[in-house]
Amino acid sequence: MKEYMDSIYLLTPLAPLVGAIIAGLFGKFIGRSASHWVTILGVGISFICAVIIFNHIVLDAAPAVNQTIYTWMVSDGFNFQVGFLIDKLTAIMLIVVTFVSLMVHIYTIGYMKEDPGYQRFFCYIALFTFAMLMLVMANNFMQLFFGWELVGLVSYLLIGFWHKKETAIFANLKAFLVNRIGDFGFILGIAAILMFAGSLDYDKVFAVAQTEDFQKQTISIFPGVHWSAITFICILLFIGAMGKSAQVPLHVWLPDSMEGPTPISALIHAATMVTAGIFMVARMSPLYELSTTALSVVMIIGAITALSMGFLGIVQNDIKRVVAYSTLSQLGYMTVALGASAYSAAIFHLMTHAFFKALLFLGAGSVIIAMHHKQDMREMGNIRKYMPITYFTALIGSLALIGFPGFSGFYSKDAIIEATHLSTIPGASFAYFAVMAGVFITALYSFRMFFMVFHGKERMDDHTRDHLKESSWVVTAPLILLAIPSVIIGAIAIEPMLFGSYFNDSIKVTDAAHATLSKIHFESVIGFTIHGMMQPPFFLAMAGIASAWFFTLKRPDLAAAAQSKLKIIHTLLINKYYFDAFNQKVFAGGSRRLGAFLWRYGDAKLIDGFFVNGSAKSVGWFSSVVRRLQTGYLYHYAIAIILGLVGMLSWIIWNEYGVTK
């Protein structure tokens, strides 16, 4: 049995890698159809392996597996290894990543069928899946960093997939650079772990972290200022999570990632990359539990992101960007849960969000296909009668997103709100206000989008209207399959994941004061649902839907009047709080000006002018002087010889007689 499971563990990440290699290197020779089938087969095998692992670890209650595959390098006594940690946290992440990725692969057949880069795209998304699987299966920080950087690299390739579009190239470069900022903090945190703990293996680091000596260690960043080493490490690791999971102010790359094809938007936003930061902090719970300061930072950043990014979703008219800002806001909810030590609730919401957010993105893609790749919601309307499957699946995704009772998002979002309300971490009061206000805002922008696209007057041109029809089965089948867990997975998983012992071996809440989930009363799913329907979040969500209906369908003139009256606020939101303008002016513009200064004065004047050209000029000047001595006249040379002999004899005589006498 052990040998069989070891093979399954290896096959899980390697199957999509093999598919990516075949499609990438030989796609031109095997053709488009074979390229998509080989990658779908690879991810399908990976999903089957994930189900086997889930059954073995969760249903059969097998002990967690922590094994080293091979040692990559030994340097100065430190081992850098590749290995797998397979526990219940890994098992649920494997299911989420492989299932959503499989749906995206199938959907891509329909969405990208006429794209000239068809084989290349399948290669990239399969490679993306491999990278994420290596990340979640890692048992050490080196492998975690490998997967971390690989998902960043592949996201760069996918966001800029349409490389002839200037906006796509700008977006992928922006994503790459912003993530490098976060990754700089992340690798410093890993280096600090190696310095203080002496290992990169999770188990060894967590064991050392529980010792009193480790917890007392400090680090001096500035002379005379001593920080707790564990706080320093946790904040540095979280800076990495801020980049990957797009938390303010490192969020600016994620909305622009919409420049990539819709399938990759779904994959990035739902199952890979942006969830990496949430997963990492949850995995590091034994470290974060030792620093209330770090938890407070995590919670406040998450609350700011959840609230501020929700406001931006209200003013967007691009269907994909509305869903993108929704992702930013929901990631803020997950981050708030992490800061409240409700790690289980964060992972639970990560799981439910993966299904309904992939559903919303792929549903948006279905609409975009039907609209001949138009994405402006102001040119849509009443599409429901042309696309009934897309309509009902989009409705399910929207209800799950706003946390409507009975849908998956209801259970995970309400658990986060309750845990935040009960938290004693500094900043919890502000975070509670942010997530409560976010409920109304989420319902408002979600159903504004839903009503603008599927209801109201038809605003498309006659040519588009005449060709409107439901998408093909390779598009609608993934929508239906994603709609199912978007409805039922929350009710099924809430008891074991939040109030049971599911995460006992994976997530550690060592401080009893931090155990907010244990303070929530839970008897049954029905009881939790009824209780939730009597709480403020439910009424706020209903108010958000009603407001969206009134201002979008009933009195759109009032929305236009409000926009005119609140022009300053609307301008602020349209310009995304001027984060991009600030970054362009200060960081991008400042970097260009610094580069121009260094080129003009450092390169042109100092290096070229002084050292290179200056040395050449010095040699030329010296040569011109020496050249004057070479006259070609014999008597000049004779005089020079005589003067030289006289000088030499004078020196000898002086040394022999002048000094002693």
Side-chain angles (χ1 to χ4, degrees), residues 58-127:
V58 178
L59 302 182
D60 294 344
V65 176
N66 186 358
Q67 62 183 18
T68 298
I69 305 302
Y70 70 93
T71 299
W72 178 63
M73 182 176 69
V74 177
S75 176
D76 197 25
F78 297 114
N79 291 323
F80 299 92
Q81 299 170 327
V82 175
F84 294 149
L85 172 59
I86 311 295
D87 57 8
K88 291 180 179 178
L89 175 57
T90 308
I92 197 64
M93 289 298 295
L94 291 178
I95 291 288
V96 170
V97 172
T98 55
F99 179 73
V100 174
S101 180
L102 180 60
M103 295 300 100
V104 170
H105 276 69
I106 296 171
Y107 177 94
T108 300
I109 298 174
Y111 193 88
M112 302 289 289
K113 62 181 179 180
E114 297 179 0
D115 196 284
Y118 191 80
Q119 294 96 316
R120 178 164 56 95
F121 190 83
F122 274 97
C123 167
Y124 288 169
I125 57 176
L127 186 61

Coordinates of all heavy atoms in Angstrom, one line a residue, residues 58-127:
V58 N -8.3 11.3 4.4 CA -9.5 11.8 5.1 C -10.5 10.7 5.4 O -10.8 10.5 6.6 CB -10.2 13.0 4.3 CG1 -11.4 13.5 5.0 CG2 -9.2 14.1 4.0
L59 N -10.9 10.0 4.4 CA -12.0 9.0 4.7 C -11.4 7.8 5.4 O -12.1 7.2 6.3 CB -12.7 8.6 3.4 CG -13.3 9.8 2.6 CD1 -14.0 9.3 1.4 CD2 -14.3 10.5 3.5
D60 N -10.2 7.3 5.0 CA -9.6 6.2 5.6 C -8.8 6.5 6.9 O -8.3 5.6 7.6 CB -8.7 5.5 4.6 CG -9.4 4.8 3.5 OD1 -10.7 4.7 3.6 OD2 -8.8 4.5 2.5
A61 N -8.7 7.9 7.2 CA -8.0 8.4 8.4 C -6.6 7.9 8.5 O -6.1 7.6 9.6 CB -8.8 8.0 9.6
A62 N -5.9 7.8 7.4 CA -4.5 7.4 7.4 C -3.7 8.6 8.0 O -4.1 9.7 7.8 CB -4.0 7.1 5.9
P63 N -2.6 8.3 8.6 CA -1.7 9.3 9.2 C -1.1 10.2 8.1 O -0.9 9.8 6.9 CB -0.6 8.6 9.9 CG -0.6 7.2 9.3 CD -2.0 6.9 8.8
A64 N -0.8 11.4 8.4 CA -0.2 12.4 7.5 C 1.2 11.8 7.0 O 1.9 11.1 7.8 CB 0.0 13.7 8.1
V65 N 1.5 12.1 5.8 CA 2.8 11.7 5.2 C 3.7 12.8 5.0 O 3.4 13.9 4.5 CB 2.5 11.0 3.8 CG1 3.9 10.6 3.2 CG2 1.6 9.8 4.0
N66 N 4.9 12.7 5.6 CA 6.0 13.7 5.4 C 7.2 13.0 5.0 O 7.9 12.3 5.8 CB 6.2 14.4 6.8 CG 7.2 15.6 6.6 OD1 7.7 15.8 5.5 ND2 7.4 16.3 7.7
Q67 N 7.5 13.1 3.7 CA 8.7 12.3 3.2 C 9.5 13.1 2.2 O 9.0 14.0 1.6 CB 8.1 11.0 2.4 CG 7.3 11.3 1.2 CD 6.7 10.1 0.5 OE1 6.7 9.0 1.1 NE2 6.3 10.2 -0.7
T68 N 10.8 12.8 2.2 CA 11.7 13.4 1.3 C 11.9 12.6 0.1 O 12.1 11.4 0.1 CB 13.1 13.6 2.0 OG1 13.0 14.4 3.2 CG2 14.1 14.2 1.1
I69 N 11.8 13.2 -1.1 CA 11.9 12.5 -2.4 C 13.4 12.4 -2.7 O 13.9 11.4 -3.0 CB 11.2 13.3 -3.5 CG1 9.7 13.5 -3.1 CG2 11.3 12.5 -4.8 CD1 9.0 12.2 -2.8
Y70 N 14.1 13.5 -2.7 CA 15.6 13.5 -2.9 C 16.2 14.8 -2.3 O 15.5 15.8 -2.1 CB 15.9 13.3 -4.3 CG 15.6 14.5 -5.2 CD1 16.6 15.5 -5.5 CD2 14.4 14.6 -5.9 CE1 16.3 16.5 -6.3 CE2 14.1 15.7 -6.7 CZ 15.1 16.6 -6.9 OH 14.8 17.7 -7.7
T71 N 17.5 14.7 -2.0 CA 18.2 15.9 -1.5 C 18.8 16.6 -2.7 O 19.6 16.0 -3.5 CB 19.3 15.4 -0.6 OG1 18.7 14.8 0.6 CG2 20.1 16.7 -0.1
W72 N 18.4 17.8 -2.9 CA 18.9 18.6 -4.0 C 20.3 19.2 -3.8 O 21.1 19.2 -4.7 CB 17.9 19.8 -4.3 CG 18.2 20.7 -5.4 CD1 18.3 20.4 -6.7 CD2 18.6 22.1 -5.3 NE1 18.7 21.5 -7.4 CE2 18.8 22.6 -6.6 CE3 18.6 23.0 -4.2 CZ2 19.2 23.9 -6.8 CZ3 19.0 24.3 -4.4 CH2 19.2 24.8 -5.7
M73 N 20.6 19.6 -2.6 CA 21.9 20.2 -2.3 C 22.1 20.2 -0.8 O 21.2 20.3 0.0 CB 21.9 21.7 -2.9 CG 23.2 22.4 -2.7 SD 23.2 24.0 -3.4 CE 22.1 24.9 -2.3
V74 N 23.4 20.0 -0.5 CA 23.9 20.2 0.9 C 24.9 21.3 0.9 O 25.9 21.2 0.2 CB 24.4 18.9 1.5 CG1 25.0 19.1 2.9 CG2 23.4 17.8 1.5
S75 N 24.7 22.3 1.7 CA 25.6 23.5 1.7 C 25.8 23.9 3.2 O 24.9 24.3 3.9 CB 25.1 24.6 0.9 OG 25.9 25.8 1.0
D76 N 27.1 23.8 3.6 CA 27.5 24.2 5.0 C 26.6 23.5 6.0 O 26.2 24.1 7.0 CB 27.3 25.8 5.1 CG 28.1 26.3 6.3 OD1 29.0 25.7 6.8 OD2 27.7 27.4 6.8
G77 N 26.3 22.3 5.8 CA 25.5 21.5 6.7 C 24.0 21.6 6.6 O 23.3 20.9 7.3
F78 N 23.5 22.5 5.7 CA 22.1 22.7 5.5 C 21.6 21.8 4.4 O 22.3 21.8 3.3 CB 21.8 24.1 5.2 CG 22.1 25.1 6.4 CD1 23.1 26.0 6.2 CD2 21.4 25.0 7.6 CE1 23.3 26.9 7.3 CE2 21.7 25.8 8.6 CZ 22.7 26.8 8.5
N79 N 20.6 21.1 4.6 CA 20.0 20.2 3.5 C 18.9 21.0 2.8 O 18.0 21.5 3.4 CB 19.4 18.9 4.2 CG 20.5 18.0 4.7 OD1 21.6 18.0 4.1 ND2 20.3 17.4 5.8
F80 N 19.0 21.0 1.5 CA 17.9 21.5 0.7 C 17.3 20.4 -0.1 O 17.9 19.8 -1.0 CB 18.5 22.6 -0.3 CG 19.1 23.7 0.4 CD1 20.5 23.7 0.7 CD2 18.4 24.8 0.8 CE1 21.1 24.8 1.4 CE2 18.9 25.9 1.5 CZ 20.3 25.9 1.8
Q81 N 16.0 20.1 0.2 CA 15.4 18.8 -0.3 C 14.1 19.1 -1.0 O 13.5 20.1 -0.9 CB 15.2 17.9 0.9 CG 16.4 17.5 1.7 CD 16.1 16.8 3.0 OE1 15.2 17.1 3.6 NE2 17.0 15.9 3.4
V82 N 13.7 18.1 -1.8 CA 12.4 18.1 -2.4 C 11.6 17.0 -1.7 O 12.1 15.8 -1.6 CB 12.5 17.8 -3.9 CG1 11.1 17.6 -4.5 CG2 13.3 18.9 -4.6
G83 N 10.4 17.4 -1.2 CA 9.7 16.4 -0.4 C 8.2 16.7 -0.4 O 7.8 17.9 -0.8
F84 N 7.4 15.8 0.1 CA 5.9 16.0 0.1 C 5.4 15.9 1.6 O 5.8 15.1 2.3 CB 5.2 14.9 -0.7 CG 5.5 15.0 -2.2 CD1 5.5 13.9 -3.0 CD2 5.7 16.2 -2.8 CE1 5.7 13.9 -4.3 CE2 6.0 16.3 -4.2 CZ 6.0 15.2 -4.9
L85 N 4.5 16.8 1.9 CA 3.7 16.8 3.1 C 2.3 16.6 2.7 O 1.7 17.5 2.2 CB 3.9 18.1 3.9 CG 3.0 18.2 5.2 CD1 3.2 17.0 6.1 CD2 3.3 19.5 5.9
I86 N 1.8 15.4 3.0 CA 0.4 15.1 2.6 C -0.4 15.0 3.9 O -0.4 14.0 4.6 CB 0.3 13.8 1.8 CG1 1.3 13.8 0.6 CG2 -1.1 13.6 1.2 CD1 1.1 14.9 -0.4
D87 N -1.2 16.0 4.2 CA -2.2 15.9 5.3 C -3.5 16.4 4.8 O -3.7 16.5 3.6 CB -1.6 16.8 6.5 CG -1.4 18.2 6.1 OD1 -1.8 18.6 5.0 OD2 -0.8 19.0 6.9
K88 N -4.4 16.7 5.7 CA -5.8 17.0 5.3 C -5.9 18.4 4.6 O -6.7 18.6 3.8 CB -6.7 17.0 6.5 CG -6.9 15.5 7.0 CD -7.9 15.5 8.2 CE -8.1 14.0 8.7 NZ -8.9 14.0 9.9
L89 N -5.0 19.3 5.0 CA -4.9 20.6 4.4 C -4.5 20.4 2.9 O -5.0 21.0 2.0 CB -4.0 21.5 5.1 CG -3.7 22.9 4.5 CD1 -5.0 23.7 4.3 CD2 -2.8 23.7 5.4
T90 N -3.4 19.6 2.7 CA -3.0 19.3 1.4 C -4.0 18.6 0.6 O -4.3 19.0 -0.6 CB -1.7 18.4 1.4 OG1 -0.7 19.0 2.3 CG2 -1.1 18.3 0.0
A91 N -4.7 17.7 1.2 CA -5.7 16.9 0.4 C -6.8 17.8 -0.1 O -7.2 17.7 -1.3 CB -6.3 15.9 1.4
I92 N -7.3 18.7 0.7 CA -8.4 19.6 0.2 C -7.9 20.6 -0.9 O -8.6 20.9 -1.8 CB -9.1 20.4 1.4 CG1 -10.5 20.9 0.9 CG2 -8.2 21.5 1.9 CD1 -11.5 19.9 0.6
M93 N -6.7 21.0 -0.7 CA -6.1 21.9 -1.7 C -5.9 21.2 -3.1 O -6.1 21.8 -4.1 CB -4.8 22.5 -1.2 CG -4.9 23.5 -0.1 SD -5.8 25.0 -0.6 CE -4.8 25.7 -1.8
L94 N -5.5 19.9 -3.0 CA -5.3 19.1 -4.2 C -6.6 19.0 -5.0 O -6.7 19.1 -6.2 CB -4.7 17.8 -3.9 CG -3.3 17.7 -3.4 CD1 -2.9 16.3 -3.0 CD2 -2.3 18.3 -4.4
I95 N -7.7 18.7 -4.2 CA -9.0 18.6 -4.8 C -9.4 19.9 -5.5 O -9.9 19.9 -6.7 CB -10.1 18.2 -3.8 CG1 -9.8 16.7 -3.3 CG2 -11.5 18.3 -4.4 CD1 -10.2 15.7 -4.3
V96 N -9.3 21.0 -4.8 CA -9.7 22.3 -5.4 C -8.9 22.6 -6.6 O -9.4 23.0 -7.7 CB -9.5 23.4 -4.3 CG1 -9.7 24.8 -4.9 CG2 -10.5 23.2 -3.2
V97 N -7.6 22.5 -6.5 CA -6.7 22.9 -7.6 C -6.9 22.1 -8.9 O -7.1 22.6 -10.0 CB -5.2 22.9 -7.2 CG1 -4.3 23.1 -8.4 CG2 -4.9 23.9 -6.1
T98 N -7.0 20.8 -8.7 CA -7.1 19.9 -9.8 C -8.5 19.9 -10.5 O -8.6 19.9 -11.7 CB -6.7 18.4 -9.5 OG1 -7.6 18.0 -8.4 CG2 -5.3 18.3 -9.1
F99 N -9.5 20.0 -9.6 CA -10.9 20.1 -10.2 C -11.1 21.3 -11.0 O -11.6 21.3 -12.1 CB -11.9 19.9 -9.1 CG -13.3 20.0 -9.6 CD1 -13.9 18.9 -10.3 CD2 -14.1 21.1 -9.4 CE1 -15.2 19.0 -10.8 CE2 -15.4 21.2 -9.9 CZ -16.0 20.1 -10.6
V100 N -10.8 22.5 -10.4 CA -11.0 23.7 -11.1 C -10.1 23.8 -12.3 O -10.6 24.3 -13.4 CB -10.7 24.9 -10.2 CG1 -10.8 26.3 -10.9 CG2 -11.7 25.0 -9.0
S101 N -8.9 23.3 -12.2 CA -8.0 23.3 -13.4 C -8.5 22.4 -14.5 O -8.5 22.8 -15.7 CB -6.6 22.9 -13.0 OG -5.7 22.8 -14.1
L102 N -9.1 21.3 -14.1 CA -9.7 20.4 -15.1 C -10.8 21.1 -15.9 O -11.0 21.0 -17.1 CB -10.1 19.1 -14.5 CG -10.8 18.0 -15.4 CD1 -9.8 17.6 -16.5 CD2 -11.2 16.8 -14.6
M103 N -11.7 21.8 -15.1 CA -12.8 22.5 -15.7 C -12.3 23.6 -16.7 O -12.9 23.8 -17.8 CB -13.7 23.1 -14.6 CG -14.4 22.1 -13.7 SD -15.5 20.9 -14.6 CE -14.5 19.5 -14.7
V104 N -11.3 24.3 -16.3 CA -10.7 25.3 -17.1 C -10.1 24.8 -18.4 O -10.3 25.3 -19.5 CB -9.7 26.2 -16.3 CG1 -8.9 27.1 -17.2 CG2 -10.3 26.9 -15.2
H105 N -9.4 23.6 -18.3 CA -8.9 23.0 -19.4 C -10.0 22.6 -20.4 O -9.8 22.9 -21.7 CB -8.1 21.7 -19.0 CG -6.7 22.0 -18.6 ND1 -6.4 22.6 -17.4 CD2 -5.5 21.7 -19.2 CE1 -5.1 22.7 -17.3 NE2 -4.5 22.2 -18.4
I106 N -11.0 22.0 -20.0 CA -12.1 21.6 -20.9 C -12.8 22.9 -21.5 O -13.0 22.9 -22.7 CB -13.2 20.8 -20.1 CG1 -12.6 19.5 -19.6 CG2 -14.4 20.5 -21.0 CD1 -13.4 18.7 -18.7
Y107 N -13.0 23.9 -20.7 CA -13.6 25.1 -21.1 C -12.8 25.8 -22.2 O -13.3 26.4 -23.2 CB -13.8 26.0 -19.9 CG -14.3 27.4 -20.2 CD1 -15.7 27.7 -20.1 CD2 -13.5 28.5 -20.5 CE1 -16.2 28.9 -20.3 CE2 -14.0 29.8 -20.7 CZ -15.3 30.0 -20.6 OH -15.8 31.2 -20.7
T108 N -11.4 25.7 -22.1 CA -10.5 26.3 -23.0 C -10.7 25.8 -24.4 O -10.4 26.6 -25.4 CB -9.1 26.1 -22.5 OG1 -8.9 26.7 -21.2 CG2 -8.1 26.8 -23.4
I109 N -11.1 24.6 -24.6 CA -11.3 24.1 -25.9 C -12.3 24.9 -26.7 O -12.0 25.3 -27.9 CB -11.8 22.6 -25.9 CG1 -10.8 21.7 -25.2 CG2 -12.2 22.1 -27.3 CD1 -11.3 20.3 -25.0
G110 N -13.3 25.4 -26.1 CA -14.3 26.2 -26.7 C -13.9 27.6 -26.8 O -14.1 28.3 -27.8
Y111 N -13.3 28.2 -25.7 CA -13.0 29.6 -25.7 C -11.8 30.0 -26.6 O -11.8 31.0 -27.3 CB -12.6 30.0 -24.3 CG -12.6 31.5 -24.1 CD1 -13.7 32.2 -23.7 CD2 -11.4 32.2 -24.3 CE1 -13.7 33.6 -23.6 CE2 -11.4 33.6 -24.1 CZ -12.5 34.3 -23.7 OH -12.5 35.6 -23.6
M112 N -10.8 29.1 -26.7 CA -9.6 29.4 -27.5 C -9.5 28.7 -28.8 O -8.4 28.6 -29.5 CB -8.3 29.0 -26.7 CG -8.3 29.7 -25.3 SD -7.9 31.5 -25.5 CE -6.2 31.4 -26.0
K113 N -10.7 28.1 -29.3 CA -10.6 27.2 -30.5 C -10.0 27.9 -31.7 O -9.5 27.2 -32.6 CB -12.0 26.7 -30.8 CG -13.1 27.7 -31.1 CD -14.4 27.1 -31.4 CE -15.5 28.1 -31.7 NZ -16.8 27.5 -31.9
E114 N -10.1 29.2 -31.9 CA -9.6 29.8 -33.1 C -8.3 30.6 -32.9 O -7.9 31.3 -33.8 CB -10.7 30.7 -33.7 CG -12.0 30.0 -34.1 CD -13.0 30.9 -34.7 OE1 -12.8 32.2 -34.7 OE2 -14.1 30.5 -35.0
D115 N -7.8 30.5 -31.7 CA -6.6 31.2 -31.4 C -5.3 30.5 -32.0 O -5.2 29.3 -31.8 CB -6.4 31.3 -29.8 CG -5.4 32.4 -29.5 OD1 -4.2 32.2 -29.6 OD2 -5.9 33.5 -29.0
P116 N -4.5 31.3 -32.6 CA -3.3 30.7 -33.2 C -2.3 30.1 -32.2 O -1.5 29.3 -32.5 CB -2.6 31.8 -34.0 CG -3.2 33.1 -33.4 CD -4.5 32.7 -32.9
G117 N -2.4 30.6 -30.9 CA -1.5 30.1 -29.9 C -2.1 29.0 -29.0 O -1.8 28.8 -27.9
Y118 N -3.0 28.2 -29.6 CA -3.8 27.2 -29.0 C -2.9 26.2 -28.2 O -3.1 26.0 -27.0 CB -4.6 26.4 -30.0 CG -5.7 25.5 -29.5 CD1 -6.9 26.0 -29.1 CD2 -5.5 24.1 -29.5 CE1 -7.9 25.2 -28.7 CE2 -6.5 23.3 -29.0 CZ -7.7 23.8 -28.6 OH -8.7 23.0 -28.2
Q119 N -1.9 25.6 -28.8 CA -1.1 24.6 -28.1 C -0.3 25.2 -27.0 O -0.1 24.6 -26.0 CB -0.2 23.9 -29.2 CG -0.9 23.0 -30.2 CD -1.1 23.8 -31.5 OE1 -1.5 24.9 -31.5 NE2 -0.9 23.1 -32.6
R120 N 0.2 26.4 -27.3 CA 1.0 27.1 -26.3 C 0.2 27.4 -25.1 O 0.7 27.3 -23.9 CB 1.6 28.4 -26.9 CG 2.4 29.3 -26.0 CD 3.2 30.3 -26.8 NE 2.3 31.1 -27.6 CZ 1.9 32.3 -27.3 NH1 2.1 32.8 -26.1 NH2 1.1 33.0 -28.1
F121 N -1.0 27.8 -25.2 CA -1.9 28.1 -24.1 C -2.1 26.8 -23.2 O -2.0 26.9 -22.0 CB -3.2 28.6 -24.6 CG -4.1 29.2 -23.5 CD1 -3.9 30.5 -23.0 CD2 -5.1 28.4 -22.9 CE1 -4.6 31.0 -22.0 CE2 -5.8 28.9 -21.8 CZ -5.6 30.2 -21.4
F122 N -2.4 25.7 -23.9 CA -2.6 24.5 -23.1 C -1.3 24.1 -22.4 O -1.4 23.6 -21.2 CB -3.1 23.4 -24.0 CG -4.6 23.3 -24.2 CD1 -5.2 23.9 -25.3 CD2 -5.4 22.8 -23.2 CE1 -6.5 23.9 -25.4 CE2 -6.8 22.8 -23.3 CZ -7.3 23.3 -24.5
C123 N -0.2 24.3 -23.0 CA 1.1 24.0 -22.3 C 1.2 24.9 -21.1 O 1.6 24.4 -20.0 CB 2.3 24.3 -23.3 SG 3.9 24.4 -22.5
Y124 N 0.9 26.2 -21.2 CA 1.1 27.1 -20.0 C 0.1 26.7 -18.9 O 0.5 26.7 -17.7 CB 0.8 28.5 -20.5 CG 1.9 29.1 -21.3 CD1 1.7 30.4 -22.0 CD2 3.1 28.5 -21.5 CE1 2.6 30.9 -22.8 CE2 4.1 29.1 -22.3 CZ 3.8 30.3 -22.9 OH 4.8 30.9 -23.7
I125 N -1.2 26.4 -19.2 CA -2.1 26.2 -18.1 C -1.8 24.9 -17.4 O -2.0 24.7 -16.2 CB -3.6 26.3 -18.5 CG1 -3.9 25.3 -19.7 CG2 -3.9 27.7 -18.9 CD1 -5.4 25.3 -20.0
A126 N -1.3 23.9 -18.1 CA -0.9 22.6 -17.5 C 0.3 22.8 -16.6 O 0.4 22.3 -15.5 CB -0.6 21.6 -18.6
L127 N 1.3 23.7 -17.1 CA 2.4 24.0 -16.3 C 2.0 24.8 -15.0 O 2.6 24.6 -14.0 CB 3.4 24.8 -17.1 CG 4.8 25.1 -16.5 CD1 5.5 23.8 -16.2 CD2 5.6 26.0 -17.4

